[in-house]
Amino acid sequence: MMRLFLTELKKTRHRHIGLLYTASLCLMMVWSLWAMSRMQEKNDVVMQQGYYYLLANFPIMDSFFLPVIIACVESRLCDMELKGNTFKLLCTMQPRRSIFHIKLFLSFLYLLFFTLAQTALIYVLCRRFHVAQPAPLENILLFFLASLTVGMVLIVIQQSLSLISYNQLFPLFVGVGGTFAGIFSGFFPQMPVKYLLPWTYYSVFLTVSLDYEEASRIVTYYPVPFAVPFFIGFVVFGIIAYLIGKDRFMKKEV
């Protein structure tokens, strides 16, 4: 298995897949530095709740960037064999299911490193701006778990579509379309649309909400309970998506 993983890793050389995640992380870091610098200058009350501020905004930013990045990454990981039409050759040298699983594991590693760096960024930024609020470890851990879980389910969906599609434009359109649908569903919070789309679950698993007083223009952040039932249902959905995607790939003609 290690030999197969190293072979898959070699195939990704010079494809700069990690740069997509790095670019997203850098963009989030620049935005956070700018936003928190402004709040520090104004001595805003949010500086007393810096952890909650980031924990409320990072999932929203994830819902904007990560689905598209994941769609692009999975397309890049899968189009090597599709363009060269080498699946038939590969399947004579290794089990077909191993192709699916090795690509899935490599994608998981990319996502894991990104999520770890993103979670660490919250702590680093709050230390940098001397936020008075104690670090809410439970909320931070739940943010890490939710981000990793949602990203992994999206990876399963996008990889399955990329492996069974002969044209990589279709999986990319699904990723972009799902992102826009997820964003627009936020304008209808009373409707259950956001619970039907996997791209919207970054916001479903928020552990921090806010209260805005229009008269004083003061924003107060406060913790909210983690949506455990929805999380369990989402994990079950991810398992079903994995089983269906793997089954479709196993039956694909090569």
Side-chain angles (χ1 to χ4, degrees):
M1 185 62 70
M2 180 59 67
R3 179 180 59 84
L4 296 177
F5 172 73
L6 293 176
T7 301
E8 187 68 31
L9 196 61
K10 288 179 181 178
K11 289 191 290 185
T12 63
R13 288 187 304 176
H14 311 301
R15 300 185 71 84
H16 310 297
I17 292 175
L19 288 180
L20 293 171
Y21 285 109
T22 303
S24 176
L25 186 66
C26 290
L27 184 61
M28 295 178 70
M29 181 176 64
V30 170
W31 175 85
S32 301
L33 287 171
W34 170 79
M36 297 187 77
S37 295
R38 289 191 60 189
M39 290 187 293
Q40 189 179 48
E41 292 173 0
K42 296 179 180 180
N43 196 25
D44 196 284
V45 68
V46 179
M47 289 309 299
Q48 305 299 319
Q49 297 182 301
Y51 284 100
Y52 284 166
Y53 174 75
L54 295 178
L55 288 170
N57 284 279
F58 270 22
I60 305 301
M61 297 183 71
D62 283 346
S63 66
F64 275 80
F65 301 121
L66 277 187
V68 177
I69 289 175
I70 288 172
C72 293
V73 167
E74 296 312 306
S75 178
R76 296 281 287 171
L77 285 175
C78 299
D79 70 349
M80 292 177 286
E81 291 85 1
L82 292 170
K83 285 183 178 179
N85 195 24
T86 58
F87 271 125
K88 182 176 295 186
L89 178 62
L90 282 175
C91 291
T92 62
M93 297 184 293
Q94 65 182 96
R96 184 182 293 203
R97 64 173 59 87
S98 71
I99 300 174
F100 188 90
H101 291 148
I102 290 297
K103 289 183 180 294
L104 200 62
F105 180 66
L106 182 59
S107 300
F108 168 75
L109 290 181
Y110 279 116
L111 178 67
L112 177 62
F113 289 141
F114 171 83
T115 310
L116 285 172
Q118 185 185 46
T119 305
L121 182 61
I122 295 175
Y123 181 77
V124 171
L125 286 170
C126 289
R127 294 285 292 180
R128 162 68 177 78
F129 288 97
H130 307 290
V131 172
Q133 178 191 11
L137 295 180
E138 180 180 353
N139 296 82
I140 293 174
L141 290 175
L142 288 174
F143 163 76
F144 172 79
L145 177 63
S147 299
L148 189 62
T149 303
V150 176
M152 198 60 211
V153 172
L154 294 182
I155 283 174
V156 168
I157 294 173
Q158 292 296 153
Q159 176 178 300
S160 300
L161 291 175
S162 293
L163 285 175
I164 65 177
S165 300
Y166 293 98
N167 190 334
Q168 289 303 298
L169 285 178
F170 173 67
L172 290 174
F173 284 150
V174 171
V176 174
T179 301
F180 279 106
I183 293 171
F184 282 111
S185 70
F187 294 101
F188 307 97
Q190 304 303 322
M191 298 178 65
V193 178
K194 68 177 183 178
Y195 299 108
L196 303 177
L197 302 172
W199 297 272
T200 63
Y201 272 76
Y202 286 107
S203 58
V204 172
F205 296 140
L206 280 170
T207 61
V208 175
S209 188
L210 62 89
D211 180 37
Y212 176 67
E213 295 183 12
E214 188 173 357
S216 60
R217 295 184 178 181
I218 294 178
V219 180
T220 303
Y221 292 88
Y222 58 92
V224 294
F226 187 66
V228 175
F230 285 106
F231 183 80
I232 295 174
F234 189 73
V235 171
V236 172
F237 167 78
I239 294 173
I240 295 173
Y242 158 75
L243 293 174
I244 294 175
K246 186 182 71 170
D247 180 69
R248 295 290 297 173
F249 176 65
M250 294 292 290
K251 295 179 179 179
K252 178 183 177 180
E253 293 186 6
V254 294

